[in-house]
Amino acid sequence: MEVKFLGTVSPYCKDEKNCPGYLVTNGKEKILLDCGNGVTRNLKLPDDLENLTIIISHLHKDHYGDLLTLGYASYVFHNLGYLPNRIKVYIPEPDMYTVSEGYTDDEGWGASRLVKKALIDYEFLQKFGEEQYFEFITYDENTELEIEELNITFAKNPHQINTYSTKIVDKNKTFVYSGDTGYNGNSLVRFAEDADILLCEATFLKGQTRTTDNHLYAYEAATIAKDANVRQLVLTHFFPEIEREDYVKEAKTIFENTTYAEEGKVLKLGGI
Ligand SMILES: [Zn+2]
Ligand SMILES: [Zn+2]
């Protein structure tokens, strides 16, 4: 199993940096975790469309913006005879009740605006148009996928809308991707226990203002990695203007074996 980093920043692309996307390859199977803006330019098409499954962690646009581009590419390559089967795209169910700290169902416009936004994005993907060769499938924390030798499971995160962490296990390696998550109430310590790699969001640096607990500070990602006893922590979901090294420096005060994700880099996890 290996992971190629296609996009590592949010909420916008800059220079060679794209919004989140990670291509996990195991033998001939490929799993694309998130498809943020710019991700398609780091894919190799049409080859990467073959045996591809896409899993979107949640319906914030930084995590699915490039589905528009990839969908149209799938349509073109299908018409050219390269793509016999529709690409399965797993997306979370819209959630009427998931609200983050500071937002509750009876707090008025804040909560209802967030819930409505999730539904609008969900409905947008359900009506994705004809010029694509996708099959959209919804999933939740009870979904378990078996794709050749890979077992894929999910854990729900505290975030503004329905959001999941993803765990991919092959015969002897475990890879966990956090998606977006708050710190309090997330289940990553249990979900990523003893994982070989935890690819974890680290949106903020100590000292930056976080208005609500919807994302992690780098030191919080490191605390999760330490408590979960993972082998290596890989940080991602950076602000485009901030140096990656700054996030790693903060995390290393708590968890030494920390590195950062960078567009084009490939991480091998052994196995096939
Ligand atoms: Zn998000
Ligand atoms: Zn995000």
Side-chain angles (χ1 to χ4, degrees):
M1 182 158 51
E2 66 177 40
V3 184
K4 185 177 182 187
F5 306 113
L6 310 175
T8 67
V9 298
S10 172
Y12 58 96
C13 306
K14 185 179 173 69
D15 302 326
E16 81 293 351
K17 299 173 181 177
N18 303 317
C19 287
Y22 314 95
L23 186 67
V24 178
T25 305
N26 190 58
K28 62 181 178 53
E29 295 303 322
K30 300 182 201 84
I31 316 287
L32 176 59
L33 298 171
D34 283 335
C35 190
N37 291 331
V39 159
T40 304
R41 63 184 177 182
N42 276 342
L43 288 170
K44 189 170 182 291
L45 304 184
D47 302 20
D48 283 340
L49 295 175
E50 214 179 314
N51 303 306
L52 179 67
T53 302
I54 300 173
I55 299 171
I56 303 297
S57 64
H58 65 302
L59 300 184
H60 278 156
K61 290 181 178 64
D62 56 324
H63 294 258
Y64 81 80
D66 233 24
L67 274 181
L68 288 167
T69 309
L70 198 55
Y72 190 64
S74 71
Y75 171 75
V76 169
F77 284 116
H78 170 66
N79 291 342
L80 291 172
Y82 287 100
L83 189 64
N85 302 311
R86 285 183 183 273
I87 295 171
K88 289 187 169 69
V89 182
Y90 289 87
I91 58 172
E93 293 270 7
D95 190 326
M96 296 302 290
Y97 303 101
T98 297
V99 284
S100 304
E101 192 184 333
Y103 297 98
T104 63
D105 272 333
D106 48 19
E107 273 185 7
W109 71 270
S112 57
R113 183 172 67 89
L114 290 168
V115 168
K116 194 172 170 218
K117 178 187 171 301
L119 278 171
I120 288 169
D121 284 309
Y122 179 80
E123 284 165 5
F124 165 74
L125 291 176
Q126 297 306 303
K127 299 170 185 160
F128 206 52
E130 295 299 312
E131 293 179 336
Q132 43 87 9
Y133 208 56
F134 283 167
E135 175 190 359
F136 286 94
I137 302 164
T138 51
Y139 74 92
D140 61 23
E141 65 267 46
N142 299 314
T143 303
E144 185 167 355
L145 306 177
E146 301 283 349
I147 300 177
E148 293 294 324
E149 292 184 341
L150 300 178
N151 173 270
I152 304 174
T153 49
F154 304 95
K156 196 166 179 173
N157 296 344
H159 198 50
Q160 290 105 321
I161 56 171
N162 223 354
T163 304
Y164 294 96
S165 304
T166 303
K167 177 157 58 181
I168 303 181
V169 180
D170 77 354
K171 279 187 299 245
N172 46 23
K173 295 288 174 188
T174 300
F175 169 78
V176 174
Y177 166 50
S178 70
D180 286 0
T181 185
Y183 186 68
N184 289 301
N186 79 61
S187 54
L188 276 168
V189 170
R190 183 170 39 81
F191 190 61
E193 192 179 8
D194 298 331
D196 294 280
I197 302 286
L198 170 60
L199 174 63
C200 193
E201 75 126 288
T203 305
F204 294 109
L205 291 170
K206 236 181 210 171
Q208 276 186 284
T209 304
R210 180 176 68 183
T211 48
T212 52
D213 182 12
N214 286 318
H215 288 285
L216 300 177
Y217 286 102
Y219 75 89
E220 291 176 326
T223 304
I224 291 167
K226 186 181 172 195
D227 292 347
N229 191 39
V230 305
R231 198 169 60 77
Q232 187 177 24
L233 171 64
V234 182
L235 301 178
T236 189
H237 203 275
F238 309 118
F239 276 101
E241 319 290 344
I242 297 178
E243 295 298 326
R244 301 164 200 272
E245 287 82 0
D246 293 347
Y247 295 92
V248 171
K249 197 173 156 197
E250 179 176 312
K252 277 193 173 198
T253 61
I254 289 166
F255 188 77
E256 176 56 31
N257 196 10
T258 303
T259 187
Y260 55 78
E262 184 174 16
E263 282 76 1
K265 255 196 339 197
V266 177
L267 199 66
K268 290 192 191 305
L269 280 91
I272 296 171

